[in-house]
Amino acid sequence: MSPDGVFSLLWLVIALPLAGAVVLLVGGRLTDRWGHWLGTATVTGSFVLSVVMFVQLLGRDDAERQIGQHLWDWFAVGDFQVGMDLLYDPLSALFLLLITGVSALIHLYSVGYMEHDPRRRRFFGYLNLFVAAMLMLVLAADYVGVFLGWEGVGLASYLLIGFWQHKPSAAAAAKKAFVINRVGDIGMSLAIMLMFVTFGTTAFAGVSAAAGDATESTMTAIGLLLLLGACGKSAQVPLQAWLLDAMEGPTPVSALIHAATMVTAGVYLVTRSNFVFENAPVAQTAVVVVACVTLLWGAVIGCAKDDIKKVLAGSTMSQIGYMMLAAGLGPAGYAFAIFHLVTHGFFKANMFLGAGSVMHGTGDDVNMRHYGALRKAMPVTFLTFAMGYLAIIGFPGFSGFWSKDKIIEAAVAENYLVGAAALLGAGVTAFYMTRLMLMTFFTKERWEPEVHPHESPKVMTVPLVVLAALSVLGGVLLLGDWVTTWLTPVVGEVEHHELPVPVIVLTGIVVVVVALGVGLAVLLVGRREVPREAPQDVSFVTRAARSDLYGDAINDGLVVRPGGVLVRGLVATDARGVDGVVEGGAGLVGALSSVLRRTQNGYVRTYALSVLGGAVILVLAMVAVTW
């Protein structure tokens, strides 16, 4: 359907933050004084437009809730044409609200958090660039357009993670994130190429219409390649190792990238590509397996970290695993994957910004062993963070309770083993998040005498209050099955499978498991003295969790070292083989030329002697033949 009315301004949602990025990054010092407000205003403007369009979309029937906008012809090769086309439908509408709304709050928070940074204007330029790329990713009507936003997000994340580039650790973390994401991007690009070869188009509508006619092996290949791309952006095993190191960036970056935007791109890709995975059951199963491994992987890591941001990063990895799990369950879970994605965007952004507030009040210390009893010194931060904590552990009534429980229900109905993994993840989540709360806001104070914890300014706490409210109220999206009905035109109706027990019983089991996780944390952390230095005499599991379950070592052993051996072998082959042939041939010619050069000395007598010698040889040859 062609855009009309306010929908004709759809392009402006992307153009506003993109224009802000251009002004802030090109304008130079002229924008230093007011650049941060410009960056905040552009994203806020996109949010206002998103709200107005969402309200307009609510008033339409299901069949009319898909609006396309053609901006211009991007490129054409023979019969293959790609337009700069946008697609606004119920799925992209939710993403627009989440991305622009949470990003606007993060921009506002950053005004205070980055107040004394001499490069604040550039920081806001990078934030605007990131938001524009993410909006392009979720609004594109073609996989090539998605890839444009996909790569834009990768570039902006590299710039933001390594923003404090004077720190070697930040520069290394940015490079690591960039390289690992490129591995996933190769899968994404190959999937798009295979779509073009198979269907002659890369538009969602074209691929969806023809997907049923392709062979299962082709669809499986496309699905697995898309999954590889999703693993990179969403930090799923085996491409998860960059996420925790990415905490080297400023805390608002962690909230922006690891809560509501970049890491959710993989979930969006799988959900948007439902027509691919529905025709590729092997790829769909692979999504579920990867998700189960990741949700437990991230949860275990979160149990052993002392860096407050890295605990939340491990938690992000785990929660994205829940979303991917739901998406891998097909029609039974697509809507719940997006539902949990939205609620997670609220409570995780709330907690990341809350962690930044804690750091702001404690001299930028990230070690939870140096906190304790901060609820008294930072009451607003404590109360808002507590709302996010109750949401993520699934406390009854809070947003996470509704969204995560729906995923667990779908998982149990699909497969008992998958359901058990999801249930176990809920218990571990409750443990490590309670540990974080106890070490940070309760237990005995452990900060140095020169540290004076204090509450953050209002420009930082107001976004916390808003996000805390959303963390509590996000579950209203499920009232009357609204979120599932809203997404039906995109992902189809939810398939309800029979549970082995009544829903209320399963809910009770989940609550009990969560309570056990909380109780274990209180027993092991809350009732014991928390040492300022991490104990070294610990179990193998704890050491492994502290080392990110040896993700870097695995990558080093399976990829980096064999890759190094391969490269060294290629270099040796090139030096001794290719270069040897080329240089040896050149040397042989040189040697022959040096010999021949001796006969060309410029003396007439030498040439006459040569002619005489040649004549003698010729005469002798003729005599020999005649004889």
Side-chain angles (χ1 to χ4, degrees):
M1 180 177 294
S2 300
D4 53 15
V6 69
F7 297 115
S8 63
L9 300 177
L10 183 59
W11 63 274
L12 199 56
V13 176
I14 301 173
L16 281 173
L18 183 60
V22 171
V23 172
L24 292 173
L25 297 176
V26 176
R29 295 184 178 180
L30 294 174
T31 61
D32 278 350
R33 286 191 172 185
W34 45 267
H36 48 287
W37 292 117
L38 173 65
T40 305
T42 56
V43 177
T44 303
S46 292
F47 174 66
V48 172
L49 275 174
S50 299
V51 171
V52 174
M53 288 189 294
F54 177 73
V55 172
Q56 291 291 319
L57 201 64
L58 281 174
R60 296 190 172 208
D61 295 332
D62 286 357
E64 298 179 334
R65 287 178 179 168
Q66 181 168 304
I67 295 133
Q69 185 174 39
H70 175 73
L71 300 180
W72 65 81
D73 291 332
W74 190 1
F75 61 84
V77 180
D79 295 332
F80 178 58
Q81 294 184 339
V82 175
M84 185 57 69
D85 297 334
L86 305 181
L87 173 64
Y88 186 70
D89 63 6
L91 179 60
S92 53
L94 286 182
F95 268 90
L96 255 61
L97 290 175
L98 179 66
I99 294 167
T100 57
V102 174
S103 295
L105 293 172
I106 292 172
H107 275 69
L108 180 61
Y109 176 95
S110 300
V111 171
Y113 191 86
M114 301 295 288
E115 181 179 7
H116 302 295
D117 195 293
R119 300 166 69 235
R120 179 169 66 167
R121 181 257 310 162
R122 181 175 296 185
F123 179 76
F124 275 83
Y126 292 160
L127 286 183
N128 269 204
L129 178 62
F130 183 93
V131 173
M134 191 67 199
L135 290 171
M136 180 66 210
L137 192 158
V138 299
L139 277 176
D142 189 291
Y143 279 100
V144 178
V146 171
F147 195 67
L148 175 63
W150 197 269
E151 292 305 296
V153 167
L155 170 62
S157 66
Y158 169 78
L159 296 172
L160 287 167
I161 294 169
F163 183 74
W164 287 327
Q165 58 204 35
H166 59 277
K167 297 166 55 178
S169 56
K175 181 173 67 174
K176 182 177 182 179
F178 192 81
V179 170
I180 291 180
N181 270 273
R182 295 294 73 72
V183 176
D185 293 353
I186 291 173
M188 176 76 166
S189 60
L190 290 175
I192 295 173
M193 294 175 194
L194 187 53
M195 289 177 193
F196 164 65
V197 171
T198 306
F199 307 115
T201 180
T202 55
F204 294 151
V207 176
S208 176
D213 298 329
T215 64
E216 184 175 317
S217 59
T218 298
M219 298 307 295
T220 297
I222 294 174
L224 292 176
L225 289 170
L226 289 176
L227 174 59
L228 180 61
C231 285
K233 278 292 183 287
S234 293
Q236 301 292 283
V237 174
L239 301 180
Q240 83 292 347
W242 65 271
L243 188 67
L244 274 78
D245 291 323
M247 296 300 104
E248 290 291 337
T251 300
V253 174
S254 303
L256 184 66
I257 294 178
H258 307 129
T261 53
M262 177 172 163
V263 292
T264 62
V267 181
Y268 169 80
L269 181 65
V270 173
T271 304
R272 174 64 78 184
S273 304
N274 59 84
F275 43 82
V276 172
F277 289 93
E278 288 299 302
N279 290 282
V282 173
Q284 202 168 43
T285 301
V287 173
V288 173
V289 172
V290 167
C292 288
V293 172
T294 305
L295 75 86
L296 294 176
W297 191 292
V300 171
I301 289 174
C303 292
K305 293 293 184 181
D306 295 328
D307 184 322
I308 187 171
K309 290 173 65 177
K310 290 192 174 183
V311 173
L312 294 175
S315 168
T316 296
M317 188 189 306
S318 180
Q319 296 304 307
I320 299 295
Y322 274 103
M323 300 171 208
M324 292 291 284
L325 169 60
L329 295 177
Y334 288 132
F336 301 131
I338 301 303
F339 181 30
H340 192 54
L341 185 152
V342 172
T343 61
H344 176 264
F346 297 152
F347 59 70
K348 186 54 65 66
N350 172 26
M351 289 189 287
F352 263 120
L353 295 185
S357 181
V358 169
M359 293 165 57
H360 183 271
T362 56
D364 287 329
D365 194 347
V366 297
N367 193 336
M368 296 187 299
R369 294 185 179 276
H370 300 167
Y371 297 158
L374 289 180
R375 70 186 187 282
K376 302 174 184 177
M378 310 179 70
V380 177
T381 300
F382 164 65
L383 289 173
T384 54
F385 198 103
M387 298 302 101
Y389 158 74
L390 293 173
I392 194 173
I393 68 171
F395 191 86
F398 286 72
S399 61
F401 168 78
W402 303 107
S403 57
K404 191 190 295 184
D405 270 29
K406 283 298 179 182
I407 295 176
I408 294 175
E409 289 173 17
V412 170
E414 184 70 22
N415 182 284
Y416 290 164
L417 184 60
V418 173
L423 188 61
L424 177 60
V428 180
T429 299
F431 172 81
Y432 69 73
M433 286 305 305
T434 303
R435 174 179 177 267
L436 182 153
M437 286 294 292
L438 292 172
M439 292 178 70
T440 303
F441 297 106
F442 295 91
T443 62
K444 183 180 178 181
E445 60 186 52
R446 298 178 297 278
W447 58 77
E448 295 288 353
E450 64 270 15
V451 175
H452 303 285
H454 58 276
E455 189 58 88
S456 299
K458 287 187 178 180
V459 73
M460 294 172 64
T461 56
V462 168
L464 292 178
V465 172
V466 175
L467 288 168
L470 292 171
S471 300
V472 177
L473 301 174
V476 299
L477 295 178
L478 194 62
L479 290 178
D481 291 329
W482 181 86
V483 69
T484 58
T485 303
W486 175 255
L487 291 171
T488 295
V490 182
V491 299
E493 294 186 2
V494 175
E495 291 184 358
H496 296 284
H497 299 288
E498 186 176 350
L499 287 168
V501 295
V503 173
I504 188 66
V505 174
L506 181 58
T507 299
I509 293 174
V510 175
V511 171
V512 170
V513 171
V514 168
L516 289 174
V518 172
L520 186 60
V522 171
L523 182 65
L524 298 179
V525 180
R527 295 189 176 182
R528 297 183 181 182
E529 186 78 16
V530 178
R532 274 184 56 84
E533 300 298 329
Q536 299 302 310
D537 185 18
V538 294
S539 66
F540 169 77
V541 175
T542 302
R543 290 196 302 272
R546 287 179 181 176
S547 300
D548 304 344
L549 296 182
Y550 303 113
D552 287 335
I554 293 171
N555 289 340
D556 188 60
L558 295 180
V559 179
V560 178
R561 290 184 182 178
V565 172
L566 176 62
V567 170
R568 286 192 294 272
L570 292 175
V571 169
T573 301
D574 180 66
R576 299 173 185 175
V578 178
D579 288 352
V581 171
V582 174
E583 294 175 1
L588 178 61
V589 172
L592 291 174
S593 64
S594 64
V595 172
L596 293 174
R597 189 164 52 244
R598 295 176 182 177
T599 65
Q600 303 294 323
N601 54 19
Y603 294 113
V604 176
R605 60 180 179 270
T606 302
Y607 298 154
L609 181 61
S610 299
V611 172
L612 177 60
V616 171
I617 293 174
L618 182 59
V619 170
L620 292 176
M622 293 176 63
V623 170
V625 171
T626 303
W627 185 265

